[in-house]
Amino acid sequence: MVRPEAGAVPRRCAECGGFEYGGAPACGVCRDLVDALVEEEWAAFLRRWDAAGAEQERALAEMVAAEPDRHDWRVVDAALDRLVCPDCAGPLGRGPAGCPACDRAHGYRFAAIETDRPGVPPGNEHAIRVNVAVVRRPQGTSGNEVLVRRLLLPVLLAGLLPTTEEAQRMSALVKKSPPGGRARLVGRAVEALVAELSRTPPAARAAGSSPTSPDRPAATRRRSAPGRSR
């Protein structure tokens, strides 16, 4: 299984030296791990539908893209990867910022189902979902946001969710630090979160505040309409 279990301490990547997943998109190993989060769920989806062959897979991808609110976000992302954008000819939803069809598909992807795992803070799955989307389409986001979201992804996958105060401190850290030192400083903040993971079970943080969804239950979250990530 590619996806880490909730509570698992993040491991170091042998290629980039950071925590696994957090080096994407520049690190090839981390980039493959992030893509595998999506591909693993798509493979399971195909098995459930007993799909065989390229034609059936494409038909399923078209079906999912037409009804994203009925499918897990990983299935939706994988389906979009298999469709060609009519405007830029790349994978639908992952083209350059300003590509009309990709921007539209990227917005609709956030209507997909997001289900928190047992024992994680409410909104953890949404945070993972948004960070994965940013890492897989970095050209649509500012460099500072890509930096923070990619470095936080390993601890989100481990089941943590920064509180509002932690998120504010990290945002201030990025804004105040010189460009050349931002990755190092954010990396230190992530190291502190990883150290906390070894001391505090994820369930103990589930009652804490969430910067993304403080009033959502720890179950299934849906977006009823297309829009930007939150």
Side-chain angles (χ1 to χ4, degrees):
M1 185 175 181
V2 173
R3 183 169 177 148
E5 294 289 338
V9 177
R11 300 183 302 181
R12 293 287 182 179
C13 171
E15 179 169 316
C16 69
F19 293 116
E20 289 183 338
Y21 302 90
C27 171
V29 171
C30 289
R31 184 174 62 249
D32 289 346
L33 285 172
V34 174
D35 286 340
L37 293 172
V38 171
E39 290 301 315
E40 184 178 57
E41 192 66 19
W42 179 254
F45 179 75
L46 293 181
R47 289 194 296 270
R48 290 194 296 271
W49 279 83
D50 196 24
E55 287 190 15
Q56 289 188 13
E57 185 171 8
R58 178 176 175 79
L60 284 175
E62 291 173 344
M63 177 194 74
V64 170
E67 50 181 30
D69 58 316
R70 300 185 62 181
H71 303 280
D72 182 88
W73 67 267
R74 293 162 292 179
V75 172
V76 172
D77 279 14
L80 293 177
D81 286 346
R82 284 158 173 79
L83 301 178
V84 178
C85 173
D87 292 330
C88 71
L92 185 60
R94 295 182 67 182
C99 171
C102 281
D103 286 348
R104 188 164 53 250
H106 182 67
Y108 275 105
R109 79 168 77 237
F110 290 97
I113 295 171
E114 301 160 351
T115 306
D116 283 322
R117 295 164 291 173
V120 303
N124 173 261
E125 190 68 17
H126 178 65
I128 292 171
R129 190 273 172 283
V130 172
N131 286 30
V132 167
V134 168
V135 168
R136 298 184 86 224
R137 196 195 184 206
Q139 64 272 24
T141 312
S142 71
N144 284 347
E145 184 171 356
V146 172
L147 171 65
V148 173
R149 290 195 178 277
R150 72 173 178 83
L151 290 178
L152 277 177
L153 183 55
V155 296
L156 296 175
L157 288 167
L160 294 182
L161 184 64
T163 63
T164 301
E165 293 75 15
E166 289 168 338
Q168 290 173 344
R169 284 199 301 270
M170 193 165 295
S171 177
L173 186 68
V174 170
K175 292 177 181 178
K176 293 178 180 179
S177 60
R182 285 172 185 166
R184 177 174 52 83
L185 292 174
V186 176
R188 287 180 181 175
V190 171
E191 293 271 2
L193 290 174
V194 172
E196 179 181 342
L197 178 63
S198 66
R199 298 191 300 266
T200 308
R205 292 174 59 87
S209 61
S210 162
T212 53
S213 53
D215 56 349
R216 296 281 185 163
T220 298
R221 301 179 62 256
R222 296 173 183 261
R223 286 290 302 272
S224 59
R228 295 187 304 168
S229 61
R230 295 185 296 181

